[in-house]
Amino acid sequence: MPPGFTIRHATEADRWEIAELIYISINHWYQIHGRGQLFQGGPHVADVFFEAYESLDPGCCIVAECNNSKRIMGSCFYHPRPLHVSLGIMAVHPNHWGSGTGKKLLDWIIDFSQQEDKPLRLTQSAINLDSFSLYNKAGFVPRQAYQDMFIEVPENGLDVTSDGDACVRDGRLEDVQQLAALEKRVSGITREQDYEFMIANELGYWGFSVYECSGSGELLGFLGSCAHPGCTMIGPGVSDNESVAESLLFHRLNAFAGKMAVFLIPVDAENLVQRLYSIGARNCELHFAQVLGDCQPYDGINMPTFMPETG
């Protein structure tokens, strides 16, 4: 009979075991499905999740600990926000796939979100049907589909321009209230601490840009990015329209000169998608925004990410 396990909060002592768990679990899934390793460089690169999330949301990670070996069988981060709870990266060791570990971790966070009386949101792979089924059976509903796109940015940056280039600038802490109002209108959520976290950039690998309408000073979009070796992604961000999203995305891409960057684009943002194809972007995966509970329809462009995955 398989050993039982206990759900508990993670501690600093679990940090490197969680990093190894994430590295092994995610890479193993991609490899057995013929897609190669997602993480490169060794398990230490996956520490970006514990490092960033413990800074952003201290104490908001749970683990399933084997009652016999005291080893961690699975882990999951979660992120309470004013209008929702977000489910972050969940990983179960391949040795324990099919043991019910993932379901118990999910049940714990569903119970937490219900106690908070808030919807639970996540960004989930559309090609991992086991994962999709886990969330779908629990009542999550896909609300938006995204195509994961990537591009190798030349050493001297992208030779592209957009109409709103002059409107893009670095984010400032005094922008936070405007950013919250913008995201509330576009996506129905706010996450002030996320904006502050990326703008302050105390960990040294974040970037954050805003689109400021010339004349009025109104902010029509924002876009973050993470340049850690374990997560070279652009996002999260929201924009009033595709043109604003394009200007922000081109600006953030040029911060990745000589590197590859990944970003998620709504599949129905057809003009933006075609523009990205025209500069050499390619597809690598599909994801869904899934919500358990109330969800306002998107009124603009939402670009999620996996770091920090709180929208």
Side-chain angles (χ1 to χ4, degrees):
M1 182 175 179
F5 55 86
T6 301
I7 304 295
R8 62 168 176 82
H9 276 92
T11 69
E12 177 67 27
D14 300 316
R15 176 173 182 165
W16 296 106
E17 191 173 355
I18 290 172
E20 186 167 6
L21 166 68
I22 292 171
Y23 191 89
I24 291 171
S25 174
I26 304 299
N27 276 347
H28 186 68
W29 190 90
Y30 277 90
Q31 287 175 306
I32 65 174
H33 289 85
R35 301 178 65 86
Q37 290 193 178
L38 185 67
F39 295 115
Q40 303 285 337
H44 67 279
V45 302
D47 178 56
V48 63
F49 296 97
F50 192 95
E51 178 182 62
Y53 285 150
E54 188 63 19
S55 298
L56 183 59
D57 291 299
C60 290
C61 177
I62 56 172
V63 297
E65 180 184 75
C66 177
N67 292 338
N68 289 353
S69 68
K70 303 304 179 184
R71 297 284 294 175
I72 294 175
M73 299 165 61
S75 66
C76 189
F77 294 88
Y78 64 99
H79 313 286
R81 292 296 178 267
L83 300 174
H84 75 290
V85 176
S86 175
L87 190 150
I89 188 168
M90 181 191 292
V92 174
H93 195 286
N95 288 348
H96 300 289
W97 287 356
S99 67
T101 304
K103 184 179 186 305
K104 289 297 184 183
L105 291 167
L106 178 60
D107 287 346
W108 191 100
I109 294 175
I110 289 174
D111 288 344
F112 175 84
S113 67
Q114 290 175 343
Q115 291 168 16
E116 293 279 304
D117 194 25
K118 295 174 182 176
L120 183 56
R121 303 168 71 110
L122 61 90
T123 305
Q124 183 265 327
S125 171
I127 64 173
N128 186 334
L129 293 183
D130 291 332
S131 173
F132 177 85
S133 298
L134 173 66
Y135 297 124
N136 204 227
K137 288 176 181 178
F140 284 82
V141 178
R143 299 295 185 178
Q144 175 70 61
Y146 300 93
Q147 50 199 88
D148 302 26
M149 305 186 81
F150 70 98
I151 191 168
E152 297 277 357
V153 182
E155 292 283 352
N156 58 349
L158 292 167
D159 185 20
V160 294
T161 60
S162 64
D163 292 340
D165 287 346
C167 297
V168 179
R169 62 167 172 82
D170 289 342
R172 300 189 287 257
L173 290 176
E174 55 263 36
D175 296 327
V176 166
Q177 292 308 308
Q178 271 207 71
L179 297 174
L182 170 67
E183 188 159 33
K184 177 67 166 59
R185 176 173 59 81
V186 172
S187 302
I189 63 173
T190 63
R191 39 179 168 169
E192 289 90 335
Q193 69 196 81
D194 295 53
Y195 321 140
E196 293 172 355
F197 178 74
M198 289 182 282
I199 291 169
N201 190 25
E202 293 181 359
L203 296 178
Y205 41 79
W206 300 99
F208 195 88
S209 301
V210 301
Y211 186 105
E212 183 176 27
C213 187
S214 57
S216 70
E218 181 183 8
L219 298 184
L220 299 182
F222 69 82
L223 188 60
S225 65
C226 178
H228 188 281
C231 187
T232 55
M233 284 199 70
I234 295 178
V238 299
S239 299
D240 188 65
N241 55 58
E242 293 185 42
S243 178
V244 170
E246 178 184 293
S247 297
L248 285 164
L249 183 54
F250 286 175
H251 186 80
R252 291 260 41 95
L253 278 168
N254 278 322
F256 286 80
K259 301 176 183 177
M260 183 187 76
V262 179
F263 40 90
L264 272 60
I265 304 296
V267 296
D268 55 358
E270 54 185 304
N271 294 324
L272 179 57
V273 168
Q274 292 303 319
R275 179 77 158 114
L276 290 166
Y277 282 142
S278 75
I279 65 169
R282 292 183 287 166
N283 294 308
C284 56
E285 197 169 342
L286 295 170
H287 274 80
F288 292 128
Q290 296 217 58
V291 182
L292 177 62
D294 294 336
C295 179
Q296 170 190 304
Y298 293 110
D299 184 20
I301 304 298
N302 178 63
M303 294 176 59
T305 183
F306 315 126
M307 173 59 64
E309 188 179 25
T310 57

